[in-house]
Amino acid sequence: DASESRSSLSTLLDCLCGEVGIGETCEVEGRSLFGTAGAPSAAVSDGSWYYEVEVLEFGKVEANGSKNTNALQIGFGTDLFLPDQTTNDGVGDKEYSWSIDALRGFAFDQGKESKINVPNTKHGDIVGCRLQLQSKSERKGNITFWINGMEVSSMNFELKTVFTFFFAAVSLDCNLAVRVNLGQHGFKHFPEKHKAV
């Protein structure tokens, strides 16, 4: 039944902090200052995994053409990741999380921020996120990000915890909106030898 499959898609994502609207086909809309949504029910612990996020609403660009100042951080968190709306700490800003900001051009590695070169993000752009875990016991891995199939950032990590689950997460400002594709639809830019989250 089509209504059952639609309702099950919306249950893939949960609001982790702040206020976010979650649509029937995994749309996420920011409804407060820097809310975070994630998919802990689709967490993984080893292997290579991929998901995509389509930009639907991307906020205002200044009249002089300067970069967007809204935050749209897309990446991965672990079961130990604790976003905090009161301090504007979303995915990538806190320990046990990694992300890129597709609008402002930053990569975030467990709170460490670095500038990256990203194209001017617009409606319909696709941000791809790949997680590669070496093994359950070593907790080492790599996360790579693409925008429209072009690699924009890659980061290696090693965690001190013995056993951790990883899940897709998105943090976004008010009036921004995206659609998260965890594999429920065909991917636009799917790297070979990976599984959908």
Side-chain angles (χ1 to χ4, degrees):
D1 172 315
S3 64
E4 286 178 7
S5 66
R6 276 197 302 273
S7 65
S8 66
L9 286 179
S10 65
T11 61
L12 288 172
L13 297 171
D14 294 315
C15 177
L16 304 179
C17 82
E19 291 181 37
V20 294
I22 299 175
E24 289 184 352
T25 56
C26 293
E27 296 88 355
V28 179
E29 177 187 34
R31 294 185 177 168
S32 67
L33 183 63
F34 217 47
T36 298
S41 63
V44 298
S45 60
D46 65 352
S48 295
W49 301 91
Y50 180 80
Y51 79 101
E52 290 181 340
V53 174
E54 178 183 1
V55 178
L56 300 177
E57 295 292 332
F58 54 92
K60 295 180 181 176
V61 177
E62 298 302 319
N64 64 8
S66 64
K67 285 273 192 186
N68 199 320
T69 57
N70 292 302
L72 173 58
Q73 291 175 210
I74 300 167
F76 286 94
T78 76
D79 51 337
L80 301 174
F81 162 56
L82 299 171
D84 186 347
Q85 179 198 10
T86 62
T87 58
N88 290 331
D89 286 328
V91 63
D93 294 320
K94 303 277 278 187
E95 192 173 18
Y96 305 111
S97 67
W98 305 262
S99 70
I100 63 164
D101 187 322
L103 298 179
R104 297 180 299 151
F106 289 100
F108 298 92
D109 181 351
Q110 299 189 80
K112 296 176 190 138
E113 178 182 303
S114 59
K115 188 75 177 139
I116 59 172
N117 187 22
V118 297
N120 285 331
T121 306
K122 60 192 178 308
H123 175 83
D125 282 351
I126 302 293
V127 178
C129 306
R130 179 186 66 197
L131 169 68
Q132 292 179 294
L133 297 169
Q134 290 183 5
S135 72
K136 287 182 183 179
S137 60
E138 291 186 25
R139 308 314 319 152
K140 293 178 184 178
N142 172 272
I143 298 176
T144 305
F145 300 95
W146 293 266
I147 297 180
N148 297 328
M150 180 183 81
E151 185 177 321
V152 294
S153 182
S154 183
M155 52 190 84
N156 295 316
F157 64 87
E158 182 173 357
L159 297 176
K160 296 175 182 142
T161 58
V162 175
F163 192 75
T164 304
F165 292 98
F166 293 78
F167 60 88
V170 176
S171 298
L172 67 174
D173 277 331
C174 190
N175 298 321
L176 299 181
V178 298
R179 180 177 295 114
V180 179
N181 181 1
L182 300 172
Q184 69 270 26
H185 306 291
F187 290 122
K188 303 276 188 194
H189 307 282
F190 192 54
E192 291 182 22
K193 300 180 184 175
H194 294 84
K195 300 173 200 165
V197 172

